[in-house]
Amino acid sequence: MASSLTLGSTDDTMFCHLCTSVRASAYCMECQIYLCPSCEGQHKKYPTFQDHRLLTGSKMPSFYPTGHGTDDLNKCLDHPQEEIKFFCASHKEVYCCICNTTKHFGCQQKYIPDICKDYIKSGEYNDLTAFFQNTTKSTINCLQDIDNCIKKVDQLSSSQVEKLRKLKALIIAYLDQREKELLQEIQLNRDRDLAALQKLQTSAKNIKSDLSKALADLKIHEDNSNDLFLATKRAQFLINNLKSALEDITSKTMYHEYDLQRDPLVEILMKNKEGMAQLASPGQGTYLGYEIST
């Protein structure tokens, strides 16, 4: 579902993709969505979106996405030379006259031009657009959670390294080699969490982009009920996959907790080949923790 932009006049009234009923004050070039003043402020707040280009005022575009052409949308997948004319309520499929007599004979058939009148007002289409809007909000919340986790992982790493170096100062002669080993272990844990979170971040961004593009693809057909009906049917195949993927990302958005704990028995510690501290095994809880224990 490719898209392109053409600048519109200042008389065009565009509404926020997330709030729907509030007039837009900005357009995000990367996310390809309109934002009201409140959503614009939230958009600028989080690190993930800080590099995004926002167009405001008369520079905001009128969004005219172009994707599959009308001809492609109306052509039967099994018989490209034939136009789609029928909808099978039994199989939830759209098809041409040939399919009508070969694959769907005896099914509950409906003639599309008759059933798609005022489709834009239908509950099905309204539910679908509401899903896109709500899931876009959920995706943004998910990205914000990932940003918060990444920040905490960095803060945690910094604080633990500081604790480690304070301990090192008391037993510097013995601790040089062990310090190196612990720093490497902390770095491995940090890299593991950041790699997992950044992968989730990329997946969430892709879902958000797919949602924006899918919704935009629906919007371009709102003036043609027949095309809108067909585009909606195609979009529904995308919905479950995106929702399942987002739920999976949300369930995995976490980081491992760990803490550097000083060993008070310094004299005994210095005689211990593996002294100073160790990184304990992961514990139980919402966040699978690992910590440097005494």
Side-chain angles (χ1 to χ4, degrees):
M1 290 176 282
S3 64
S4 64
L5 298 175
T6 56
L7 293 179
S9 71
T10 55
D11 293 330
D12 292 329
T13 300
M14 309 307 294
F15 293 92
C16 179
H17 270 84
L18 308 181
C19 302
T20 69
S21 61
V22 182
R23 185 169 181 171
S25 62
Y27 179 84
C28 178
M29 295 291 289
E30 279 68 29
C31 298
Q32 297 185 10
I33 59 173
Y34 288 93
L35 301 166
C36 65
S38 176
C39 293
E40 179 186 355
Q42 290 296 318
H43 205 69
K44 293 177 179 177
K45 178 180 178 181
Y46 291 92
T48 299
F49 309 126
Q50 285 181 354
D51 294 332
H52 287 197
R53 295 167 296 169
L54 297 180
L55 301 180
T56 59
S58 61
K59 294 182 179 180
M60 281 199 306
S62 293
F63 192 35
Y64 301 113
T66 58
H68 298 294
T70 303
D71 291 340
D72 292 336
L73 185 63
N74 281 289
K75 296 301 182 181
C76 178
L77 295 177
D78 294 332
H79 308 95
Q81 75 282 3
E82 297 291 332
E83 290 189 3
I84 296 174
K85 294 293 184 182
F86 297 94
F87 170 66
C88 176
S90 303
H91 296 96
K92 308 299 182 184
E93 295 179 0
V94 291
Y95 49 89
C96 66
C97 294
I98 296 177
C99 295
N100 186 38
T101 57
T102 58
K103 293 174 61 177
H104 297 277
F105 182 77
C107 293
Q108 186 180 355
Q109 302 174 357
K110 296 184 179 181
Y111 186 54
I112 290 176
D114 290 339
I115 65 173
C116 71
K117 296 176 181 178
D118 294 326
Y119 185 70
I120 193 174
K121 299 178 181 179
S122 67
E124 181 180 51
Y125 181 65
N126 290 333
D127 289 344
L128 182 63
T129 54
F131 168 82
F132 277 111
Q133 293 157 0
N134 292 334
T135 309
T136 297
K137 288 184 178 179
S138 297
T139 304
I140 291 175
N141 290 336
C142 177
L143 286 169
Q144 292 171 354
D145 289 341
I146 293 173
D147 284 335
N148 290 335
C149 284
I150 290 175
K151 183 184 296 183
K152 289 182 179 180
V153 166
D154 281 329
Q155 292 172 346
L156 182 61
S157 174
S158 299
S159 68
Q160 298 309 299
V161 170
E162 182 180 358
K163 286 182 69 175
L164 175 62
R165 287 176 175 168
K166 286 181 178 179
L167 178 58
K168 171 192 169 184
L170 298 176
I171 46 177
I172 188 68
Y174 167 80
L175 296 180
D176 281 344
Q177 181 59 36
R178 186 59 183 152
E179 177 198 25
K180 180 180 178 181
E181 295 171 356
L182 286 168
L183 285 172
Q184 290 175 342
E185 196 167 354
I186 290 174
Q187 185 66 39
L188 286 175
N189 283 304
R190 178 181 182 275
D191 290 346
R192 178 192 59 191
D193 281 350
L194 288 181
L197 288 167
Q198 288 167 351
K199 183 177 180 181
L200 294 175
Q201 184 182 53
T202 298
S203 298
K205 286 181 178 179
N206 290 337
I207 291 174
K208 181 174 176 293
S209 177
D210 288 345
L211 287 167
S212 295
K213 291 177 181 178
L215 181 58
D217 194 51
L218 291 177
K219 294 291 185 181
I220 67 174
H221 297 298
E222 289 186 347
D223 293 335
N224 187 316
S225 293
N226 189 83
D227 291 351
L228 182 63
F229 178 84
L230 297 177
T232 299
K233 292 302 176 183
R234 290 187 180 180
Q236 287 172 335
F237 287 103
L238 177 68
I239 293 175
N240 289 335
N241 289 336
L242 293 180
K243 182 178 180 182
S244 177
L246 182 60
E247 290 174 350
D248 182 61
I249 293 172
T250 302
S251 68
K252 295 177 181 177
T253 300
M254 62 179 63
Y255 66 94
H256 295 78
E257 188 76 38
Y258 58 93
D259 182 51
L260 184 74
Q261 297 180 2
R262 177 178 172 179
D263 190 338
L265 303 177
V266 178
E267 295 297 327
I268 296 176
L269 179 147
M270 293 182 66
K271 296 177 182 180
N272 188 339
K273 186 177 180 180
E274 296 183 354
M276 188 179 180
Q278 298 89 34
L279 290 178
S281 300
Q284 295 181 347
T286 303
Y287 297 99
L288 298 179
Y290 52 83
E291 63 180 16
I292 300 178
S293 61
T294 59

